[in-house]
Amino acid sequence: MQRAILSTVAAIVAVTMGAGAEERSSNLSPQVLQEIAKVEAEIDRTEAQAIERLAAPPDNQIQQIELLGKLMLYDKDLSVYRNEACAFCHMPETGFTGPVSELNRTTAAYPGSVRTRFSDRKPQSHAYAPLSPVLHYNPGQGDLVGGNFWDMRATGRRLGNPAAEQAQGPPTNPVEMGLPDIACAVYRASQRPYRAMFESVWGAQAFAIAWPDNVEQVCDRPGPPAAGEPLPVHLSPIDRGRAGTTFDQMAQSIAGYEASAEVTSFTSKFDAVLAKKAQFTPQEQAGYDLFRGKARCNECHRDGGPGEDPLFTDFTASNIGTPANPRLPYYAENRPDALGYVANPLGSSFVDGGVGSFLSKGHLLSQPSAVDARWLKLAPGTQARMQVPTLRNVDKRPDPAFVKAYGHNGYFTSLKAIVHFYNTRDVLPRCQPHDAGEGTTCWPAPESTDNMNTSKVGHLGLSDAEEDALVLFMQTLSDGFMPVSRQ
């Protein structure tokens, strides 16, 4: 198995290093390509069904916004090569995270519209993301709370909604959807079947923009834009402002859909138990007791309190000491690709600085939210920390053989593995190179020891059976146990 992983990654890395390949293709393995084709077919099917709803759209504006958001999330045309929708990294059968098992098992990160470019992290779930608070500093906790993305960089400070600001990151991220200018996303949306409903919801001015004659050619070239031309679509100041406002409204529509009952549904077995419509099995109950007690999971992955929905996160950030993931193609993206772009100038020496890096220097790939200069002093204390993810849908997958990736870099490829890590990180010895016991009887060194959580993680004293019970409990957090409520 390990040899197969290495061969798959080697093929991908060879392409990411600019081995003369055409930028729209890649040397992804046949199994990956087959899975990607299946996901893309499902995206096309879902988009077609959503487009059919435009013939008799909802008469409620909120539902119209949700439909617009769904249409844009499943719209491949919003990527530079018209080949990658937002949903490519966020499909419902996996709880709105990465839907390609073989990528999760090997690269963890996903290829962008330019198929030879990969991100530095695994996709997060966008279910429940709109319920995150706007990023703020809590002096009582002495901590930042809220935002979206692993590094909290979608703060929500500008739009009042972190999920909306998160939606603005991928379209112009060079290793994701790859457009060179936000105006390209607006222009592409103006050509789509949902234009009329968008104008009905957000106003006729939304696309009333004088587009330059070369807009098609400019928007067909992957970003980033040239250093001396940060806005390659040349618009008048008024039209530039209009495009910015429309881009905001596109993002707010996407966040509206993500907040809808279709995505953020609270329909898990856990929710049914809370509603007294189901009961845990004895092992699930034992796992829940451990979750709230000996395993200390609930101290960060909160299951709710007075006036709280059980979202299984406290919206803070932590460095749990995850090892670097050598399978990430990002480490090899240190040479110019066929378009001259270098995603990762640091190459193999790259260390993900998490929240601290966002606060001190933005983000190398995308930065949808401005940094509050008053928070710069928090950067050293937040270096290498990643947002505590929700555990809702943490093990949702289409079949038992499907592999999901865990941790910001996807180092872990099973829920059992990351639970075992939490339990034994500081107990088991350091692995030697190519150690066959990696992940079972030894652990590699952390990617970074900066601000590492040593109080709640690393030596929990759980038995193997108790680890299994925790996994069984977390499997009750998968939505779909109950029908989606009709709002």
Side-chain angles (χ1 to χ4, degrees):
M1 181 179 292
Q2 189 173 29
R3 187 174 300 169
I5 292 173
L6 291 174
S7 65
T8 301
V9 174
I12 294 167
V13 167
V15 176
T16 64
M17 293 174 71
E22 206 279 336
E23 285 296 305
R24 300 186 195 216
S25 64
S26 72
N27 283 352
L28 293 168
S29 72
Q31 183 176 348
V32 169
L33 292 174
Q34 184 178 13
E35 283 194 66
I36 286 176
K38 183 178 178 182
V39 169
E40 289 179 339
E42 180 63 17
I43 288 171
D44 291 342
R45 187 188 67 81
T46 303
E47 182 192 34
Q49 290 177 339
I51 288 173
E52 287 178 2
R53 293 174 58 194
L54 291 172
D59 58 7
N60 177 282
Q61 188 182 58
I62 298 302
Q63 293 174 348
Q64 291 171 2
I65 289 172
E66 291 173 1
L67 178 55
L68 283 171
K70 182 173 185 176
L71 285 160
M72 285 183 278
L73 274 173
Y74 286 87
D75 188 352
K76 293 179 181 177
D77 277 18
L78 298 184
S79 65
V80 64
Y81 286 152
R82 304 176 190 268
N83 63 341
E84 182 164 287
C86 295
F88 178 65
C89 293
H90 307 279
M91 289 292 280
E93 62 266 26
T94 53
F96 297 95
T97 184
V100 181
S101 179
E102 187 65 7
L103 288 177
N104 298 340
R105 188 178 72 89
T106 56
T107 62
Y110 276 48
S113 181
V114 180
R115 291 300 198 209
T116 57
R117 298 178 181 176
F118 287 72
S119 184
D120 55 339
R121 297 173 182 148
K122 71 161 286 284
Q124 288 178 291
S125 170
H126 66 214
Y128 302 93
L131 302 184
S132 173
V134 171
L135 187 62
H136 60 281
Y137 180 72
N138 184 317
Q141 292 180 231
D143 212 350
L144 287 169
V145 182
N148 272 190
F149 282 125
W150 286 106
D151 57 10
M152 299 174 156
R153 71 183 186 275
T155 67
R157 294 283 293 278
R158 188 174 68 84
L159 296 179
N161 187 333
E165 292 185 25
Q166 185 280 328
Q168 295 186 322
T172 56
N173 187 328
V175 302
E176 294 190 46
M177 298 170 80
L179 292 170
D181 190 323
I182 65 168
C184 293
V186 176
Y187 173 74
R188 295 276 184 90
S190 76
Q191 310 297 303
R192 304 297 290 146
Y194 50 79
R195 172 175 177 156
M197 192 168 78
F198 193 101
E199 291 171 326
S200 174
V201 170
W202 295 108
Q205 81 294 330
F207 301 115
I209 294 170
W211 299 106
D213 292 339
N214 69 342
V215 64
E216 291 275 5
Q217 296 94 310
V218 170
C219 293
D220 285 346
R221 180 172 177 81
E229 195 176 33
L231 301 174
V233 177
H234 298 159
L235 299 174
S236 71
I238 289 176
D239 281 343
R240 175 55 63 176
R242 189 167 287 164
T245 298
T246 302
F247 190 59
D248 287 347
Q249 292 162 344
M250 292 170 65
Q252 289 166 325
S253 300
I254 289 171
Y257 172 63
E258 291 174 349
S260 73
E262 190 171 317
V263 181
T264 298
S265 63
F266 295 96
T267 57
S268 69
K269 182 176 183 179
F270 175 85
D271 297 297
V273 171
L274 285 187
K276 302 188 186 310
K277 296 178 180 178
Q279 287 185 322
F280 288 135
T281 67
Q283 271 191 299
E284 290 167 351
Q285 184 63 54
Y288 189 33
D289 293 341
L290 287 163
F291 187 93
R292 294 175 60 88
K294 183 179 178 181
R296 306 185 66 182
C297 309
N298 194 48
E299 294 180 30
C300 295
H301 296 282
R302 286 183 51 79
D303 67 341
E308 292 182 19
D309 283 321
L311 295 174
F312 292 92
T313 174
D314 64 357
F315 302 104
T316 64
S318 181
N319 175 13
I320 64 170
T322 302
N325 184 357
R327 303 187 304 275
L328 288 174
Y330 186 71
Y331 287 114
E333 294 180 67
N334 61 332
R335 303 180 191 177
D337 64 16
L339 296 168
Y341 174 64
V342 180
N344 176 22
L346 294 175
S348 60
S349 63
F350 168 77
V351 174
D352 198 329
V355 177
S357 287
F358 159 59
L359 294 179
S360 61
K361 55 189 177 187
H363 187 269
L364 186 64
L365 301 175
S366 74
Q367 184 185 326
S369 301
V371 179
D372 190 328
R374 291 167 293 188
W375 291 345
L376 289 176
K377 62 187 177 183
L378 303 176
T382 54
Q383 191 68 19
R385 292 171 63 188
M386 303 287 171
Q387 189 173 57
V388 176
T390 178
L391 295 182
R392 284 186 171 273
N393 293 311
V394 69
D395 198 49
K396 186 173 177 62
R397 45 197 168 134
D399 60 77
F402 186 95
V403 175
K404 293 189 77 169
Y406 299 94
H408 70 279
N409 58 12
Y411 172 83
F412 307 98
T413 54
S414 74
L415 195 52
K416 169 73 172 180
I418 194 169
V419 169
H420 186 56
F421 177 78
Y422 271 76
N423 184 29
T424 63
R425 182 196 68 193
D426 299 339
V427 178
L428 298 178
R430 288 276 177 260
C431 293
Q432 299 302 310
H434 312 295
D435 198 315
E438 181 175 336
T440 304
T441 59
C442 67
W443 292 109
E447 179 179 9
S448 172
T449 57
D450 290 345
N451 304 299
M452 195 166 78
N453 188 331
T454 57
S455 64
K456 301 176 183 178
V457 179
H459 189 181
L460 301 178
L462 303 174
S463 67
D464 185 64
E466 288 174 325
E467 290 182 1
D468 290 341
L470 276 170
V471 169
L472 286 170
F473 164 67
M474 285 188 277
Q475 289 172 338
T476 72
L477 303 179
S478 296
D479 285 327
F481 184 84
M482 297 188 291
V484 175
S485 62
R486 297 301 171 193
Q487 296 176 323

